[in-house]
Structure formats: C-alpha cells, structure tokens
Amino acid sequence: MHRVGSAGSNGGSVRTRKEKKLTYVLNDANDTKHCAGINCLDVLKSSVSHDQSYLFTGSRDGTLKRWAFDDDATFCSATFESHVDWVNDAALAGESTLVSCSSDTTVKTWDGLSAGVCTRTLRQHSDYVTCLAVAAKNSNVVASGGLGGEVFIWDIEAALSPVTKPNDANEDSSSSNGANGPVTSLRTVSSSNNISVQSSPSHGYTPTIAKGHKESVYALAMNDSGTVLVSGGTEKVLRVWDPRTGSKSMKLRGHTDNVRVLLLDSTGRFCLSGSSDSMIRLWDLGQQRCLHTYAVHTDSVWALACTPSFSHVYSGGRDQCLYLTDLATRESVLLCTKDHPIQQLALQDDSIWVATTDSSVERWPAEVQSPQKVFQRGGSFLAGNLSFNRARVSLEGLNPAPAYKEPSITVSGTHPIVQHEILNNKRQIVTKDAAGSVKLWDITRGVVVQDYGKISFEEKKEELFEMVSIPSWFTVDTRLGCLSVHLETPQCFSAEMYSADLKVSGRPEDDKINLARETLKGLLGHWLAKKKHKPKPQVLASGDTLSVKDTKKNLSASKTEDSSAASDPVYPPFEFSSVSPPSIITEGSQGGPWRKKITEFTGTEDEKDFPLWCLDAVLNNRLPPRENTKLSFFLHPCEGSTVQVVTLGKLSAPRILRVHKVTNYVVEKMVLDNPLDSLAIDAASVSGGQPQPLFAGNGLLQSGLKPWQKLRPSIEILCNNQVLSPDMSLATVRAYIWKKSEDLILNYRVAIAR
C-alpha cells in the first residue's frame, strides 16, 4: 500500500492535507446499557410488532437501543451503533423504520426490528441535527432540523431507493458535488453490517428545504397527514410550514426565550409549545394566535406529551418535575420528581416513559386513558399565566407532594465518567463516574485493571503517581460518557517502550515497541483475521475485468499480508477484550465518519474506509518520521572524583534508554581495553561534531542478574548531585531531576559504600 500524496502544488506551494484521526471507545460493561444521558424516546406499539411492544432510546453515548418487555421487566434486544456523536432525537416512521439524528450532522434510518441494521445515512445538514418530526399517517414524511438553522423535509421512501447504478456504487462523493453545494450522501450499512457508501449524483434525491430560520432550530412537530410542520428555536418564534413545498405559512410570537419542544394535534390546528422561559403555550394555528399560557414549571420546559384527545399535557424539563395539566380547566398536578432534568417523554398504554440527563429510563403510572383519576388523588393547583407567580410558589416551599413516589419499571444504565486523569506511564487512566466510583483503565487492552469503589479521586491519583516521562501519544475525552481515545498521526507514534518493560516474550529485551502501532494492530486484529480468509475480488467496480498483471499483483499482496500477519502477532499487552470490545470511530478517503465494534468486522470492508496512515502502520510497518526520539547529554566525572574521563563530547541516545545502560557504558570505557563497538564514541563528538549515538550492547542483557549488579567497579550515575535509580530513563531524568531546557548533564563516580 502506498501513501497518497497531498493535493498538487501550485506555483511551488504545496497544500498539506489534514489526516483523519482514529478514535476507539472503551466499554466497561456489556452492550446492554447506556452509559450517558438519554436524549430521546419512542414506543413501537404492539399491533405493529406482532403483539410485542418495544421502547427505543437514543443516548449521548452515540447509540440507540431497543428494549423488549417481559412480565414488567425490560431487556435490551438490540443496539443500533453507527452515529459517531450524541444521538439527539429518534422517531418511528411507518411500521418499523427508526429514524435518528445526531450531533455528527447526519440523519440515519434503521430497520427497527433488526439486530441493529442501519439502512441509510442522510448527509445534508451542516451542523448538529437536533430534532425530528414524523407524520403518523404518512410514514414517508420526516423532517429534520438543526443548529445550522436548516429544516429539511425528507421523503423516506425516495431517499431509501437506489440513487446510483450498481456500477457507480463506489463513486467518490466529492466527484459529484461539483460547485452546486452539498449533495445528499447516502451511506449504507448492509445486513451483514459491512461499511459501504453510496453518494447521490446531482440528479439524485434531494430533500425539500424549509428556508427562513436565521438561527438554531431546537424543535419540530408535524400533524398526522404530513401537511403542517411547525418549527422553533433560538429566535423565540414558531414558524409554520407546508412540508409538501417547504413554503412558510406564518410566524407566531409570544415566547420570551428559546422554543425547546413542540406538539401538534392530529389535525394540525392546535399546537403546544414549551420554552426556556418556563412557559407552555397553546396555539390555534387556524386563528394564528395563542389561546392559553400555562405557568406550570419554574425552569425551562424541555419535554411534552399529549393524551390522544389533546385534552391533557404531560410536561417535564430542567426543574426535574413531571406535571400533568388539563388544557381546558388549567388544573395541574405534580406526577413525580426526578433527580435529573427531564429530556423527553413517551406514552405507552396507561404509563409514561421518562428520559433524563441520567443514563437510566423509568416508566411511571400516568392514567393516560383517564387522566382525571390523577387529579382525584388531590394536590392539584391552578396553572397561572405569569411565570413569576409559579416561581414564587416554589420558592416559598408550597409545592404539592407528587402523586407517585416510585416508578413501575426502571431501565438502568451505567454511570457516565465525569473525571479522568492520564497517568505518567501513558498506558493507564484513572476515572471517576457520576456515582463517585473510581477505576483504573489500561487503554492498550481496553479493560478496567482495578475498581477501587467510592474513594477520593484526588488521593488515588496522587497514590498512582509515577516518576516516569513518556511522550503523550493519544488524547482522551469523555463526551460520550465513556473513554474515547484519539490517535492522530504523526503524534501518536511518538511513544516507545522496551519489550522487556512490556513483558513481551519472544523478542530481544531491548527491542523498541511503538505503543500506537501495537494498539492499532490490536484494534484491527479481528478485521485482519477475517480479511485473511476472504477471497480477493477479481472484478473492478466499473465492471471491467482485472488484467493478468493485476491478478498476480493481488495474489502477491495477499501472500505478503498473510505472512506479515503471521510473523507480526498481537502481543498480550495490546489484546483487546472480546467480551466488551471497543468501538472504532474513524473516516477513510470515501464517505464520511463511521463507528463499529472491532469484533463485528467481516473482512469485506474496503480499505478506503480506514485512514491510510493506519493501514500503512499495521500492514506495512511504515511509520511517519518522528521527532525528538533521541536525547542529547554530557557525561562527566563528579567534581573532585579521581575516576578517569571516559568521553569529552556530547552523547545521543534514545529517550527511553535506562540509566543502567549509561553505567554499563562508563564501566566498559574504564575497564575494557576494547569496548563494545556499539558503545564506542566517535572522535567527531569530541571535536564538536554531531552527537554520537549511544546504544546498548546485547551481551550485557543475557544473564539472569541485572547488568549493574554484576559490574566491577561499581559506578553510580548522578544528576544535580542526586544519585539516579538504574531503572530511570533519560527522559525521566531530564523531566524530574534536571528540569532545564539545555542539554542534560550526567556525572559518574565510584559508588560510595553505604
């Protein structure tokens, strides 16, 4: 495999290309729980799914899950994994099509009754996609809105139909975009969950655009037939559209802050809106005016759900309270209180599902069929129409007791990671989750090494401190509620360790192992193993046949890959768990970003789906040029010491070289008449030339005893008058003992008897 050069030069200048990074997401548990807040909910009714109801949830961990019910218990029956950022909204269209949108700027469609098959990725938005709306009785119509102020209306049936001829399936989307702006890119993940891409040419499907928003869109709602669409966002107004044409019907003012949630009745005449101004408003779109204002909450309203008759509304938001309000009489009752802000609501039979910024979901009694039963419990109040009145009641402590104390069902998640620290060994990370539990992770194996329970994070961090200096070769974030480890070239290839330090058997002890390359081998090991047994395709995408020369080339490449894989195994310190395997998030030279578990690769994935630098490193052991792998230093006798001067010049050695190797060098120069060639110093160093490389001789490492234990005379190495431990690396000495920017100075002397 050869690296593709950057764009051609123009007038002698070369435009550099930003390489795609590779991220892997670590999981502590099995795949049956969310590990971050739940942003969205929807329920698939039993009549559709063969007498089985399902709950769908979308999370900030980037996945969606399908939950089945069994005797008032729930279990995860499928995970839908393809988004590479938060899932912000999800909705069911038609019998079983699940539609989701994400902060990764995509809208995806899924077979909701499958094992997690993504059927299409719609790439049209320029920023985070925040909300969706579907037409209950016109399953083809789906609207999406986002932070870019864009609102698109999709005909799902048209969007899912083939948009290119089979021979053009691998056409690069960049070739068809031209100068006409973005073109919808449809990314397929087939039933075998392979990664493939279809990009629509200019004559392909393009959604209807509702133009008019100047700022971010946070809420959408559509009536059952798909003839009325309402949108709202940071402009504090409601815009009403005809989704069939994208034309704007009206603009309604009234809210004094962001519009966060919208609901339409089945006919499209009445609309409910919830806002960051803490108010709920009922609008008559026919009369183009606000009918009622309900001051129920004391903070932003983020979630609404209505009874089928549109007579009562359930509402939740930032104040962590779930209320039921009679829209006609204005009577409200507190159903329950939560420990986290409420993000979304979904009705199921006589219950209501509640999603919060926590990773768990709960089902509460709601009397959806007969809401009056809740009011008969007492504790109701009359919702005013001025928000400060409601806030005053709350401040005075006059809030009524909730009608229900406990949920009927809880779907538990795992607690998200809220704090982390990369240890100095650059292979382990200590984390703290939202429940206060502290854990130690090994990121080159993707496992929890130690669960310390609920202890002080700061104290444990100090306890785990090691005086060791290794270059930072990765970055980490916890945006998805778990550890996401990011590798970027060439920085990721800056860290090396000796095989002896990694306890890798079968290699010489002083062999240098590149941490990033071995980690990539561990991540792609399943793919390479499957790929090894897949026959090479003999027909090109255009339908042409491979020439004899190309066929021989493929066979040769296949043999090379097979032999290199056999001679270059994944070492134990880099073997990832198959029980809770990490997911890879990356992007190749075609399509867009994708996410997939490392154990779900089939071997048929296109190499173009991976960054070239990753494959270069893993398949060809070709690493980019690296800086600062060497360290220069001077080696002088201690002041007042009578030991001989072994060198006058500057030495150069790998940053990871141990102090005991320097000791060996000094002893050999002092004792041996003919020191090992690999430890010799050139006269150029003495005369002010380039620093002489300093390497360790293999002969000093073969014995069972550590080399410095057998040496006579006994020499010790010092820096800043401090005796150095033989196990310290030169980089560690420079970082923690020397602490200066100029070249390191080491001193040596005969060890003082203690």
Side-chain angles (χ1 to χ4, degrees):
M1 179 174 297
H2 300 284
R3 180 172 296 282
V4 178
S6 59
S9 61
N10 184 11
S13 64
V14 178
R15 182 164 55 112
T16 57
R17 181 186 61 191
K18 172 75 172 172
E19 293 281 6
K20 303 291 192 291
K21 68 180 177 183
L22 182 139
T23 298
Y24 60 100
V25 183
L26 302 181
N27 298 302
D28 182 20
N30 55 30
D31 202 29
T32 62
K33 292 182 178 181
H34 284 300
C35 63
I38 310 297
N39 281 343
C40 49
L41 295 168
D42 208 350
V43 175
L44 184 62
K45 302 297 188 296
S46 57
S47 58
V48 177
S49 49
H50 311 291
D51 296 326
Q52 172 70 67
S53 291
Y54 291 112
L55 171 72
F56 290 89
T57 56
S59 169
R60 294 179 179 182
D61 64 15
T63 69
L64 298 105
K65 294 187 186 296
R66 184 182 69 225
W67 306 89
F69 310 102
D70 183 16
D71 297 330
D72 281 338
T74 57
F75 60 93
C76 178
S77 57
T79 295
F80 301 81
E81 184 175 17
S82 180
H83 283 298
V84 301
D85 207 336
W86 289 11
V87 176
N88 293 322
D89 203 2
L92 287 156
E95 290 193 353
S96 61
T97 299
L98 179 65
V99 186
S100 62
C101 67
S102 166
S103 295
D104 63 12
T105 75
T106 68
V107 175
K108 290 181 183 282
T109 60
W110 315 75
D111 179 351
L113 297 180
S114 71
V117 176
C118 179
T119 50
R120 273 296 188 270
T121 296
L122 310 174
R123 303 180 188 280
Q124 193 80 18
H125 285 270
S126 63
D127 207 333
Y128 292 4
V129 192
T130 55
C131 51
L132 298 170
V134 298
K137 294 182 179 176
N138 187 350
S139 58
N140 286 338
V141 183
V142 176
S144 60
L147 298 190
E150 303 151 325
V151 175
F152 297 116
I153 300 103
W154 306 86
D155 182 331
I156 290 297
E157 185 175 336
L160 294 186
S161 62
V163 291
T164 57
K165 295 180 292 183
N167 288 349
D168 298 329
N170 291 321
E171 182 182 349
D172 190 342
S173 60
S174 61
S175 65
S176 62
N177 286 355
N180 300 321
V183 175
T184 308
S185 170
L186 304 179
R187 186 182 188 82
T188 308
V189 181
S190 65
S191 56
S192 61
N193 216 18
N194 297 334
I195 303 165
S196 57
V197 174
Q198 285 192 327
S199 302
S200 63
S202 55
H203 62 269
Y205 174 76
T206 302
T208 302
I209 305 173
K211 292 183 178 178
H213 276 284
K214 300 179 181 65
E215 297 178 19
S216 299
V217 177
Y218 278 115
L220 291 173
M222 205 179 320
N223 67 334
D224 284 4
S225 58
T227 57
V228 179
L229 174 68
V230 185
S231 62
T234 55
E235 295 172 78
K236 308 171 189 175
V237 299
L238 275 66
R239 297 181 188 270
V240 184
W241 315 81
D242 182 343
R244 296 164 293 188
T245 61
S247 59
K248 185 166 59 179
S249 307
M250 68 188 85
K251 183 161 62 174
L252 302 171
R253 301 181 184 276
H255 283 295
T256 59
D257 208 337
N258 301 342
V259 177
R260 296 301 305 264
V261 59
L262 294 166
L263 278 182
L264 270 176
D265 76 332
S266 58
T267 65
R269 176 174 177 180
F270 296 104
C271 177
L272 278 166
S273 60
S275 166
S276 296
D277 62 14
S278 78
M279 305 299 288
I280 300 171
R281 288 179 177 266
L282 176 64
W283 308 80
D284 186 327
L285 302 188
Q287 298 180 23
Q288 300 190 22
R289 70 185 185 95
C290 178
L291 297 179
H292 296 290
T293 304
Y294 306 90
V296 176
H297 292 269
T298 58
D299 208 333
S300 301
V301 181
W302 291 352
L304 297 173
C306 240
T307 55
S309 62
F310 218 72
S311 60
H312 294 74
V313 64
Y314 300 87
S315 59
R318 195 171 177 180
D319 61 6
Q320 307 177 8
C321 295
L322 176 62
Y323 289 98
L324 170 63
T325 303
D326 187 322
L327 295 176
T329 66
R330 311 180 68 86
E331 190 178 9
S332 289
V333 64
L334 178 63
L335 274 180
C336 67
T337 57
K338 302 281 291 174
D339 294 327
H340 302 86
I342 295 172
Q343 300 262 61
Q344 206 168 54
L345 304 169
L347 300 176
Q348 182 190 22
D349 302 327
D350 251 1
S351 302
I352 186 167
W353 287 98
V354 182
T356 70
T357 54
D358 183 37
S359 57
S360 301
V361 186
E362 294 176 347
R363 188 170 79 177
W364 290 80
E367 301 292 352
V368 177
Q369 309 304 323
S370 307
Q372 289 303 326
K373 291 181 181 178
V374 181
F375 292 102
Q376 291 167 8
R377 289 170 164 262
S380 63
F381 62 93
L382 202 60
N385 55 12
L386 296 174
S387 60
F388 65 83
N389 287 338
R390 182 76 194 96
R392 189 187 66 218
V393 169
S394 176
L395 289 172
E396 291 172 355
L398 301 178
N399 266 339
Y404 301 103
K405 304 290 186 185
E406 298 291 336
S408 53
I409 294 179
T410 299
V411 179
S412 299
T414 58
H415 297 290
I417 294 172
V418 295
Q419 209 171 349
H420 70 279
E421 183 80 15
I422 301 172
L423 299 185
N424 284 352
N425 61 27
K426 298 300 190 291
R427 291 176 59 219
Q428 294 180 322
I429 298 176
V430 60
T431 63
K432 176 184 174 183
D433 65 25
S437 182
V438 176
K439 295 178 181 177
L440 180 65
W441 293 76
D442 183 334
I443 64 120
T444 61
R445 292 189 296 135
V447 295
V448 173
V449 178
Q450 187 84 40
D451 186 344
Y452 300 108
K454 296 182 180 180
I455 61 170
S456 168
F457 176 78
E458 295 299 327
E459 289 179 8
K460 178 52 68 174
K461 189 173 71 174
E462 291 177 14
E463 180 188 321
L464 293 172
F465 172 81
E466 291 180 81
M467 197 163 69
V468 58
S469 177
I470 294 176
S472 296
W473 58 281
F474 62 89
T475 56
V476 174
D477 71 56
T478 55
R479 176 177 168 80
L480 301 179
C482 45
L483 290 175
S484 295
V485 183
H486 309 289
L487 303 180
E488 295 187 73
T489 187
Q491 300 93 323
C492 69
F493 295 110
S494 61
E496 296 175 324
M497 290 181 69
Y498 287 121
S499 57
D501 297 328
L502 289 168
K503 297 180 173 58
V504 172
S505 58
R507 288 184 64 162
E509 291 184 1
D510 56 350
D511 262 13
K512 287 182 285 188
I513 290 180
N514 189 283
L515 299 185
R517 180 177 184 257
E518 298 306 318
T519 300
L520 288 169
K521 280 168 53 184
L523 290 169
L524 299 182
H526 291 273
W527 175 65
L528 290 171
K530 296 280 182 68
K531 187 172 183 290
K532 181 179 175 181
H533 300 293
K534 294 286 179 183
K536 294 284 184 287
Q538 297 299 307
V539 178
L540 298 175
S542 60
D544 297 335
T545 326
L546 282 177
S547 65
V548 174
K549 183 179 178 182
D550 287 334
T551 307
K552 288 180 179 177
K553 193 182 194 179
N554 271 0
L555 288 170
S556 171
S558 174
K559 288 177 183 176
T560 304
E561 280 180 21
D562 289 354
S563 61
S564 65
S567 62
D568 198 11
V570 175
Y571 300 116
F574 303 93
E575 289 180 345
F576 287 89
S577 166
S578 296
V579 178
S580 52
S583 300
I584 287 179
I585 294 177
T586 192
E587 181 178 359
S589 59
Q590 62 182 12
W594 52 269
R595 171 173 172 166
K596 198 171 190 178
K597 280 204 170 0
I598 63 169
T599 50
E600 291 180 1
F601 287 119
T602 61
T604 59
E605 292 81 9
D606 196 322
E607 288 188 2
K608 290 181 180 178
D609 286 319
F610 297 90
L612 257 176
W613 62 268
C614 293
L615 299 184
D616 248 1
V618 173
L619 298 178
N620 306 322
N621 195 16
R622 189 158 57 210
L623 306 184
R626 286 154 288 156
E627 297 179 0
N628 302 325
T629 59
K630 296 288 186 71
L631 187 149
S632 298
F633 65 99
F634 293 96
L635 188 59
H636 301 314
C638 285
E639 189 175 346
S641 172
T642 58
V643 294
Q644 71 186 70
V645 177
V646 296
T647 179
L648 297 175
K650 186 191 294 185
L651 298 173
S652 172
R655 294 174 55 86
I656 61 174
L657 191 81
R658 302 295 183 186
V659 167
H660 75 75
K661 297 291 185 69
V662 180
T663 306
N664 294 351
Y665 172 75
V666 172
V667 169
E668 288 181 349
K669 294 288 279 184
M670 292 174 61
V671 176
L672 301 180
D673 292 331
N674 298 307
L676 293 174
D677 292 339
S678 60
L679 291 170
I681 185 161
D682 200 328
S685 302
V686 182
S687 60
Q690 291 297 314
Q692 167 65 27
L694 174 72
F695 300 106
N698 291 336
L700 293 170
L701 290 170
Q702 304 306 318
S703 170
L705 289 176
K706 291 185 177 180
W708 64 89
Q709 293 174 323
K710 303 181 71 176
L711 294 174
R712 296 292 184 270
S714 182
I715 295 294
E716 55 191 14
I717 307 294
L718 297 84
C719 179
N720 280 345
N721 295 319
Q722 181 176 333
V723 178
L724 303 178
S725 164
D727 280 328
M728 272 189 179
S729 69
L730 294 181
T732 301
V733 174
R734 183 186 181 94
Y736 293 100
I737 311 297
W738 182 241
K739 299 180 183 177
K740 298 175 189 176
S741 57
E742 56 261 30
D743 286 332
L744 174 66
I745 297 177
L746 299 180
N747 302 109
Y748 59 92
R749 69 185 182 195
V750 175
I752 299 171
R754 291 178 175 81

Short mmCIF file of all heavy atoms in Angstrom, two decimals, residues 189-224:
data_model
loop_
_atom_site.label_atom_id
_atom_site.label_comp_id
_atom_site.label_asym_id
_atom_site.label_seq_id
_atom_site.Cartn_x
_atom_site.Cartn_y
_atom_site.Cartn_z
N VAL A 189 -25.23 0.62 5.55
CA VAL A 189 -24.64 -0.47 6.32
C VAL A 189 -25.56 -1.65 6.11
O VAL A 189 -26.68 -1.67 6.58
CB VAL A 189 -24.54 -0.12 7.82
CG1 VAL A 189 -23.89 -1.27 8.55
CG2 VAL A 189 -23.71 1.14 8.02
N SER A 190 -25.11 -2.61 5.34
CA SER A 190 -25.99 -3.69 4.89
C SER A 190 -26.28 -4.67 6.01
O SER A 190 -25.82 -4.52 7.13
CB SER A 190 -25.32 -4.42 3.72
OG SER A 190 -24.15 -5.05 4.16
N SER A 191 -27.03 -5.72 5.68
CA SER A 191 -27.48 -6.66 6.71
C SER A 191 -26.31 -7.33 7.42
O SER A 191 -26.42 -7.72 8.57
CB SER A 191 -28.38 -7.73 6.07
OG SER A 191 -27.68 -8.36 5.03
N SER A 192 -25.19 -7.47 6.72
CA SER A 192 -24.02 -8.05 7.39
C SER A 192 -23.22 -6.98 8.11
O SER A 192 -22.16 -7.25 8.63
CB SER A 192 -23.14 -8.75 6.35
OG SER A 192 -22.68 -7.81 5.39
N ASN A 193 -23.77 -5.76 8.11
CA ASN A 193 -23.15 -4.63 8.82
C ASN A 193 -21.81 -4.24 8.25
O ASN A 193 -20.95 -3.73 8.92
CB ASN A 193 -23.01 -4.93 10.32
CG ASN A 193 -23.24 -3.68 11.15
OD1 ASN A 193 -23.80 -2.71 10.67
ND2 ASN A 193 -22.79 -3.71 12.39
N ASN A 194 -21.64 -4.49 6.93
CA ASN A 194 -20.43 -4.02 6.27
C ASN A 194 -20.54 -2.53 6.06
O ASN A 194 -21.63 -1.97 6.03
CB ASN A 194 -20.26 -4.72 4.92
CG ASN A 194 -20.07 -6.20 5.09
OD1 ASN A 194 -19.61 -6.64 6.13
ND2 ASN A 194 -20.44 -6.98 4.08
N ILE A 195 -19.39 -1.90 5.84
CA ILE A 195 -19.39 -0.47 5.58
C ILE A 195 -19.29 -0.29 4.08
O ILE A 195 -18.37 -0.75 3.45
CB ILE A 195 -18.19 0.20 6.26
CG1 ILE A 195 -18.22 -0.08 7.76
CG2 ILE A 195 -18.17 1.69 6.00
CD1 ILE A 195 -16.93 0.23 8.45
N SER A 196 -20.27 0.37 3.48
CA SER A 196 -20.18 0.71 2.07
C SER A 196 -20.84 2.07 1.88
O SER A 196 -21.56 2.54 2.75
CB SER A 196 -20.86 -0.34 1.18
OG SER A 196 -22.21 -0.50 1.56
N VAL A 197 -20.57 2.69 0.77
CA VAL A 197 -21.03 4.06 0.59
C VAL A 197 -21.73 4.22 -0.74
O VAL A 197 -21.29 3.68 -1.74
CB VAL A 197 -19.84 5.04 0.65
CG1 VAL A 197 -20.27 6.45 0.33
CG2 VAL A 197 -19.21 5.00 2.02
N GLN A 198 -22.85 4.95 -0.72
CA GLN A 198 -23.45 5.40 -1.96
C GLN A 198 -23.60 6.91 -1.86
O GLN A 198 -24.11 7.42 -0.89
CB GLN A 198 -24.82 4.77 -2.19
CG GLN A 198 -24.74 3.31 -2.62
CD GLN A 198 -26.07 2.81 -3.10
OE1 GLN A 198 -27.11 3.23 -2.62
NE2 GLN A 198 -26.05 1.91 -4.05
N SER A 199 -23.15 7.61 -2.86
CA SER A 199 -23.25 9.06 -2.88
C SER A 199 -24.11 9.46 -4.06
O SER A 199 -23.85 9.05 -5.18
CB SER A 199 -21.87 9.69 -3.00
OG SER A 199 -21.06 9.27 -1.93
N SER A 200 -25.14 10.25 -3.79
CA SER A 200 -26.06 10.58 -4.86
C SER A 200 -25.46 11.62 -5.78
O SER A 200 -24.96 12.63 -5.33
CB SER A 200 -27.37 11.11 -4.28
OG SER A 200 -27.14 12.30 -3.57
N PRO A 201 -25.50 11.41 -7.08
CA PRO A 201 -25.08 12.44 -8.02
C PRO A 201 -26.10 13.57 -8.04
O PRO A 201 -27.13 13.50 -7.39
CB PRO A 201 -25.01 11.70 -9.35
CG PRO A 201 -25.96 10.56 -9.20
CD PRO A 201 -25.94 10.18 -7.75
N SER A 202 -25.83 14.59 -8.82
CA SER A 202 -26.67 15.78 -8.79
C SER A 202 -28.10 15.50 -9.21
O SER A 202 -29.01 16.23 -8.85
CB SER A 202 -26.06 16.86 -9.69
OG SER A 202 -25.87 16.35 -10.99
N HIS A 203 -28.33 14.42 -9.99
CA HIS A 203 -29.69 14.12 -10.41
C HIS A 203 -30.41 13.20 -9.40
O HIS A 203 -31.53 12.79 -9.63
CB HIS A 203 -29.68 13.46 -11.79
CG HIS A 203 -28.93 12.15 -11.81
ND1 HIS A 203 -27.58 12.09 -12.10
CD2 HIS A 203 -29.33 10.87 -11.56
CE1 HIS A 203 -27.18 10.82 -12.04
NE2 HIS A 203 -28.21 10.07 -11.71
N GLY A 204 -29.77 12.89 -8.27
CA GLY A 204 -30.37 12.01 -7.28
C GLY A 204 -31.34 12.74 -6.38
O GLY A 204 -31.70 13.89 -6.60
N TYR A 205 -31.76 12.05 -5.30
CA TYR A 205 -32.77 12.61 -4.40
C TYR A 205 -32.20 13.75 -3.56
O TYR A 205 -31.11 13.64 -3.00
CB TYR A 205 -33.31 11.52 -3.48
CG TYR A 205 -34.24 12.08 -2.43
CD1 TYR A 205 -35.53 12.44 -2.77
CD2 TYR A 205 -33.81 12.29 -1.13
CE1 TYR A 205 -36.39 13.00 -1.83
CE2 TYR A 205 -34.65 12.84 -0.18
CZ TYR A 205 -35.94 13.18 -0.53
OH TYR A 205 -36.78 13.74 0.40
N THR A 206 -32.94 14.84 -3.47
CA THR A 206 -32.60 15.97 -2.60
C THR A 206 -33.85 16.32 -1.80
O THR A 206 -34.95 16.42 -2.37
CB THR A 206 -32.15 17.19 -3.41
OG1 THR A 206 -31.04 16.83 -4.22
CG2 THR A 206 -31.74 18.34 -2.49
N PRO A 207 -33.74 16.51 -0.49
CA PRO A 207 -34.93 16.80 0.32
C PRO A 207 -35.48 18.21 0.06
O PRO A 207 -34.79 19.07 -0.49
CB PRO A 207 -34.39 16.70 1.76
CG PRO A 207 -32.94 17.05 1.64
CD PRO A 207 -32.51 16.50 0.32
N THR A 208 -36.73 18.40 0.46
CA THR A 208 -37.34 19.73 0.40
C THR A 208 -36.75 20.59 1.51
O THR A 208 -36.55 20.12 2.63
CB THR A 208 -38.87 19.62 0.58
OG1 THR A 208 -39.38 18.75 -0.44
CG2 THR A 208 -39.53 20.98 0.49
N ILE A 209 -36.46 21.84 1.20
CA ILE A 209 -35.84 22.73 2.17
C ILE A 209 -36.86 23.78 2.62
O ILE A 209 -37.51 24.42 1.79
CB ILE A 209 -34.61 23.44 1.58
CG1 ILE A 209 -33.62 22.41 1.02
CG2 ILE A 209 -33.94 24.33 2.61
CD1 ILE A 209 -32.46 23.01 0.26
N ALA A 210 -37.00 23.92 3.94
CA ALA A 210 -37.85 24.97 4.51
C ALA A 210 -36.94 26.12 4.91
O ALA A 210 -36.30 26.08 5.97
CB ALA A 210 -38.64 24.44 5.71
N LYS A 211 -36.84 27.13 4.06
CA LYS A 211 -35.92 28.23 4.30
C LYS A 211 -36.59 29.35 5.09
O LYS A 211 -37.74 29.69 4.82
CB LYS A 211 -35.40 28.78 2.97
CG LYS A 211 -34.50 27.83 2.21
CD LYS A 211 -33.96 28.48 0.94
CE LYS A 211 -33.01 27.54 0.21
NZ LYS A 211 -32.52 28.15 -1.06
N GLY A 212 -35.85 29.92 6.02
CA GLY A 212 -36.42 31.04 6.78
C GLY A 212 -35.77 31.24 8.13
O GLY A 212 -35.68 32.35 8.62
N HIS A 213 -35.31 30.14 8.74
CA HIS A 213 -34.66 30.26 10.05
C HIS A 213 -33.30 30.93 9.91
O HIS A 213 -32.49 30.54 9.08
CB HIS A 213 -34.49 28.89 10.70
CG HIS A 213 -35.71 28.42 11.42
ND1 HIS A 213 -36.10 28.92 12.65
CD2 HIS A 213 -36.65 27.50 11.08
CE1 HIS A 213 -37.21 28.32 13.03
NE2 HIS A 213 -37.57 27.46 12.09
N LYS A 214 -33.07 31.92 10.73
CA LYS A 214 -31.78 32.60 10.73
C LYS A 214 -30.87 32.06 11.84
O LYS A 214 -29.68 32.32 11.87
CB LYS A 214 -31.97 34.10 10.92
CG LYS A 214 -32.80 34.77 9.83
CD LYS A 214 -32.97 36.25 10.10
CE LYS A 214 -33.82 36.92 9.03
NZ LYS A 214 -35.20 36.44 9.01
N GLU A 215 -31.48 31.32 12.80
CA GLU A 215 -30.72 30.79 13.93
C GLU A 215 -31.04 29.31 14.14
O GLU A 215 -31.77 28.71 13.35
CB GLU A 215 -31.02 31.61 15.20
CG GLU A 215 -30.60 33.07 15.10
CD GLU A 215 -30.96 33.86 16.35
OE1 GLU A 215 -31.20 33.23 17.41
OE2 GLU A 215 -31.04 35.10 16.27
N SER A 216 -30.55 28.77 15.24
CA SER A 216 -30.68 27.33 15.51
C SER A 216 -32.12 26.88 15.69
O SER A 216 -32.94 27.59 16.27
CB SER A 216 -29.88 26.97 16.76
OG SER A 216 -28.51 27.28 16.59
N VAL A 217 -32.39 25.66 15.20
CA VAL A 217 -33.71 25.03 15.35
C VAL A 217 -33.59 23.93 16.41
O VAL A 217 -32.73 23.06 16.31
CB VAL A 217 -34.19 24.43 14.01
CG1 VAL A 217 -35.53 23.72 14.19
CG2 VAL A 217 -34.29 25.51 12.95
N TYR A 218 -34.46 23.99 17.42
CA TYR A 218 -34.42 23.01 18.52
C TYR A 218 -35.65 22.10 18.55
O TYR A 218 -35.63 21.08 19.23
CB TYR A 218 -34.32 23.72 19.87
CG TYR A 218 -32.93 24.14 20.25
CD1 TYR A 218 -32.58 25.47 20.37
CD2 TYR A 218 -31.94 23.18 20.50
CE1 TYR A 218 -31.30 25.86 20.73
CE2 TYR A 218 -30.65 23.55 20.84
CZ TYR A 218 -30.33 24.90 20.96
OH TYR A 218 -29.06 25.27 21.29
N ALA A 219 -36.73 22.48 17.86
CA ALA A 219 -37.98 21.72 17.99
C ALA A 219 -38.73 21.68 16.67
O ALA A 219 -38.76 22.67 15.93
CB ALA A 219 -38.86 22.33 19.08
N LEU A 220 -39.34 20.52 16.39
CA LEU A 220 -40.18 20.33 15.21
C LEU A 220 -41.41 19.53 15.61
O LEU A 220 -41.35 18.71 16.53
CB LEU A 220 -39.43 19.56 14.11
CG LEU A 220 -38.26 20.23 13.39
CD1 LEU A 220 -37.56 19.22 12.49
CD2 LEU A 220 -38.75 21.42 12.58
N ALA A 221 -42.52 19.76 14.92
CA ALA A 221 -43.73 18.94 15.11
C ALA A 221 -44.49 18.89 13.79
O ALA A 221 -44.50 19.87 13.02
CB ALA A 221 -44.61 19.52 16.21
N MET A 222 -45.12 17.74 13.51
CA MET A 222 -45.88 17.57 12.28
C MET A 222 -47.21 16.90 12.58
O MET A 222 -47.30 16.08 13.50
CB MET A 222 -45.07 16.72 11.28
CG MET A 222 -45.47 16.98 9.83
SD MET A 222 -44.52 16.02 8.59
CE MET A 222 -42.88 16.03 9.21
N ASN A 223 -48.23 17.25 11.82
CA ASN A 223 -49.53 16.60 12.03
C ASN A 223 -49.54 15.22 11.38
O ASN A 223 -48.60 14.84 10.67
CB ASN A 223 -50.67 17.47 11.49
CG ASN A 223 -50.63 17.62 9.97
OD1 ASN A 223 -49.58 17.52 9.35
ND2 ASN A 223 -51.79 17.87 9.38
N ASP A 224 -50.59 14.45 11.63
CA ASP A 224 -50.63 13.04 11.21
C ASP A 224 -50.49 12.86 9.70
O ASP A 224 -49.86 11.91 9.23
CB ASP A 224 -51.93 12.38 11.67
CG ASP A 224 -51.90 12.07 13.16
OD1 ASP A 224 -50.90 12.45 13.80
OD2 ASP A 224 -52.87 11.48 13.68
#
